Amino acid sequence: MVDIEKEYTDEHIPFGIKACNFLTKSTDPFLAVKSCSDELDAAGFVRLSKRGPFGGRLVPGKKIMH
């Protein structure tokens, strides 16, 4: 017999921990945006300025962030 509670818990605990860590770091909207920006920076995304042209910076498959 499959222990549904254990299977469900084991599968979702890592996501729950990640969510709790995010919420702990993001106690207000400013910090939530900063947390997301930090993760995108760490993943290799490139920042784009809203004030500057995007020409030549948008390439299919390239990691770009606004």
Side-chain angles (χ1 to χ4, degrees):
M1 179 175 206
V2 176
D3 184 351
I4 294 174
E5 183 177 327
K6 179 170 176 29
E7 183 177 324
Y8 178 82
T9 303
D10 289 347
E11 181 181 332
H12 293 90
I13 283 178
F15 176 77
I17 291 170
K18 187 175 179 180
C20 286
N21 289 339
F22 175 79
L23 293 171
T24 299
K25 292 187 298 187
S26 308
T27 55
D28 63 47
F30 174 80
L31 292 175
V33 170
K34 183 176 181 336
S35 293
C36 292
S37 294
D38 290 347
E39 288 210 23
L40 290 168
D41 285 338
F45 283 79
V46 177
R47 289 181 180 263
L48 296 176
S49 170
K50 291 184 269 186
R51 295 179 176 90
F54 293 176
R57 304 223 34 214
L58 300 177
V59 178
K62 187 175 179 184
K63 297 177 177 180
I64 300 289
M65 134 174 120
H66 300 281

